[in-house]
Amino acid sequence: MPFYQIYHSYPLTDDQQQTIASAITHLHATTFTTPSMFVHVQFTRSDESGATTYFMAGKRRTSQSNRIVGVVRTSAVRSKTDFDALGLKIEDAWYSALGVQRGEPGDAFPAGEEAKKLSVVVFTPLVTVIEAGFAAPEAGQEGPWFRESLPVFKKLSASDSDFADMIQEIKEREDMKKLLV
């Protein structure tokens, strides 16, 4: 359901990408009671060849243009405070994966680490999404949707490993179990 796009000028290793993607998946899934199967993360690197041109304050940025854009479902049950907290946790996950120790907001960024700086974490609303043939429920209405869809998910799990993983996750996560009651 959510789609996170990570645009980066800093060259991330496969391990760093895996760490960031796993953190975002876990954070979103547990913040909003979403199966991991529905959390997507894509990395796009801009390089010195100018494959992506990025401007900030009207100035070309060639040394640093790292940003994360989350396309997410919104509703009255998902407050700005919820997304602010999630954004800070995602920012922390970025810096942890890159081994950057940073201070509090307003502190100078560590010298020599500027290329690793994350410019922004943005959330933009998602009007609707159809995933694996299922229309996503309105945010906050996951319980009835899961209860109604579970028989089909179980049927699909017999031949689709993604659905099998989701069924296993639902069995293991307490927050997911509560949706089925």
Side-chain angles (χ1 to χ4, degrees), residues 68 84-111 113-114 116-121:
I68 299 174
D84 288 346
L86 178 58
L88 289 171
K89 289 175 184 175
I90 289 172
E91 187 177 61
D92 288 343
W94 170 271
Y95 289 121
S96 177
L98 273 65
V100 174
Q101 296 295 320
R102 61 185 177 95
E104 296 297 316
D107 289 351
F109 203 76
E113 301 284 9
E114 292 85 4
K116 297 178 182 179
K117 186 176 181 182
L118 184 61
S119 297
V120 65
V121 177

Side-chain angles (χ1 to χ4, degrees), residues 4-177:
Y4 286 88
Q5 300 162 302
I6 300 173
Y7 303 94
H8 58 102
S9 55
Y10 183 79
L12 300 173
T13 67
D14 288 347
D15 286 344
Q16 288 169 329
Q17 288 182 3
Q18 182 64 60
T19 299
I20 293 166
S22 294
I24 288 172
T25 299
H26 173 76
L27 290 167
H28 189 98
T30 56
T31 299
F32 297 121
T33 316
T34 302
S36 297
M37 173 185 161
F38 294 127
V39 181
H40 302 268
V41 180
Q42 177 182 359
F43 291 83
T44 302
R45 174 148 189 241
S46 58
D47 60 33
E48 300 76 30
S49 72
T52 298
T53 304
Y54 178 74
F55 288 78
M56 188 170 90
K59 298 176 186 173
R60 183 181 299 271
R61 305 289 283 208
T62 57
S63 63
Q64 184 271 324
S65 62
N66 306 308
R67 59 205 182 278
I68 299 174
V69 178
V71 182
V72 297
R73 294 178 305 135
T74 61
S75 77
V77 298
R78 293 183 177 181
S79 70
K80 180 182 181 312
T81 302
D82 294 334
F83 283 107
D84 288 346
L86 178 58
L88 289 171
K89 289 175 184 175
I90 289 172
E91 187 177 61
D92 288 343
W94 170 271
Y95 289 121
S96 177
L98 273 65
V100 174
Q101 296 295 320
R102 61 185 177 95
E104 296 297 316
D107 289 351
F109 203 76
E113 301 284 9
E114 292 85 4
K116 297 178 182 179
K117 186 176 181 182
L118 184 61
S119 297
V120 65
V121 177
V122 174
F123 294 103
T124 187
L126 174 69
V127 175
T128 192
V129 61
I130 308 297
E131 187 162 354
F134 295 91
E138 183 178 338
Q141 300 301 313
E142 292 84 1
W145 182 80
F146 272 109
R147 288 189 294 276
E148 182 180 304
S149 303
L150 191 59
V152 180
F153 292 163
K154 286 181 178 179
K155 180 179 175 184
L156 289 167
S157 73
S159 60
D160 185 315
S161 63
D162 291 329
F163 280 96
D165 290 346
M166 182 177 66
I167 295 299
Q168 186 61 38
E169 182 179 18
I170 290 169
K171 290 177 183 177
E172 294 172 356
R173 284 182 44 195
E174 292 303 316
D175 60 337
M176 296 297 302
K177 289 178 192 177

